[in-house]
Amino acid sequence: QQQVKQSPQSLIVQKGGISIINCAYENTAFDYFPWYQQFPGKGPALLIAIRPDVSEKKEGRFTISFNKSAKQFSLHIMDSQPGDSATYFCAASNTGGGADGLTFGKGTHLIIQP
Amino acid sequence: GAGVSQSPRYKVAKRGQDVALRCDPISGHVSLFWYQQALGQGPEFLTYFQNEAQLDKSGLPSDRFFAERPEGSVSTLKIQRTQQEDSAVYLCASSFAGQGGQPQHFGDGTRLSIL
């Protein structure tokens, strides 16, 4: 059972455009939702994270939108740049569960065309 | 640097051999996690330590996988009698505090290939 479903699998966006990646989760106990960026040969790097008590969080060009009732959250990358080309993962965890292991989506391969 | 360090970066082993992968977390970080990332997939949780205590090992795929963190800092993931399906990148992450929701900082992983 895939607990975090991510779409699309791949995405091509023109430079300066908005990149949008979506995730849906099933476990209502999840209460922490980070997004990670990964370049080839490197480990995932935290971009931005949100908790369900807010519907939106913005940090620079990155925005998370969160819909608790729909159990969905999305990442928006504004003014997308070629340097943003990478694989992006959404994740979720139940921080009150005594452990904090992240459940990841399968990833979105983003290409920003110059 | 001050990041999470993993060694070796690459490991090739023959099927049936034992391997040991090392993780040096960020100094002072209480929590340490191991993940397995298959090619083209997202990382999958293996196990979690808070200091030297292994609080969750629910993700370990079989009893051939064993992890330890005896002094609450460096951790080792050991795989016995390796199989081809063990080929993956093994990622280690650490976070500052024991309570949940703290940012996890990842190392660059060990790429394990089983021949």
Side-chain angles (χ1 to χ4, degrees), chain A residues 36 38 41 43 51 89 95 100 102, chain B residues 9 35 37 42 101 104 107-108:
Chain A
Y36 281 83
Q38 187 175 33
R51 288 191 175 270
F89 294 97
T95 64
D100 202 18
L102 293 167
Chain B
R9 286 298 317 277
Y35 294 85
Q37 186 173 25
Q104 293 186 26
D108 288 337

Side-chain angles (χ1 to χ4, degrees), chain A residues 4-55:
Chain A
V4 178
K5 295 183 179 181
Q6 184 172 346
S7 62
Q9 187 174 5
S10 60
L11 180 63
I12 299 174
V13 175
Q14 296 296 314
K15 178 183 176 183
I18 303 173
S19 304
I20 302 173
I21 305 170
N22 301 297
C23 280
Y25 63 98
E26 298 170 2
N27 187 345
T28 56
F30 286 152
D31 61 355
Y32 174 67
F33 303 90
W35 283 89
Y36 281 83
Q37 178 189 58
Q38 187 175 33
F39 293 104
K42 297 294 187 181
L46 179 66
L47 275 176
I48 186 172
I50 198 168
R51 288 191 175 270
D53 53 344
V54 296
S55 60

Side-chain angles (χ1 to χ4, degrees), chain B residues 19-73:
Chain B
V19 298
L21 312 180
R22 176 187 170 104
C23 173
D24 283 86
I26 294 172
S27 178
H29 277 196
V30 169
S31 297
L32 185 145
F33 307 82
W34 284 97
Y35 294 85
Q36 180 191 61
Q37 186 173 25
L39 187 64
Q41 300 296 312
E44 291 193 359
F45 170 77
L46 294 177
T47 188
Y48 161 64
F49 290 86
Q50 187 174 122
N51 295 307
E52 69 279 3
Q54 189 175 20
L55 299 185
D56 187 353
K57 53 182 181 179
S58 62
L60 296 176
S62 77
D63 58 7
R64 297 186 296 104
F65 287 70
F66 172 76
E68 61 183 3
R69 193 186 186 197
E71 298 179 357
S73 56

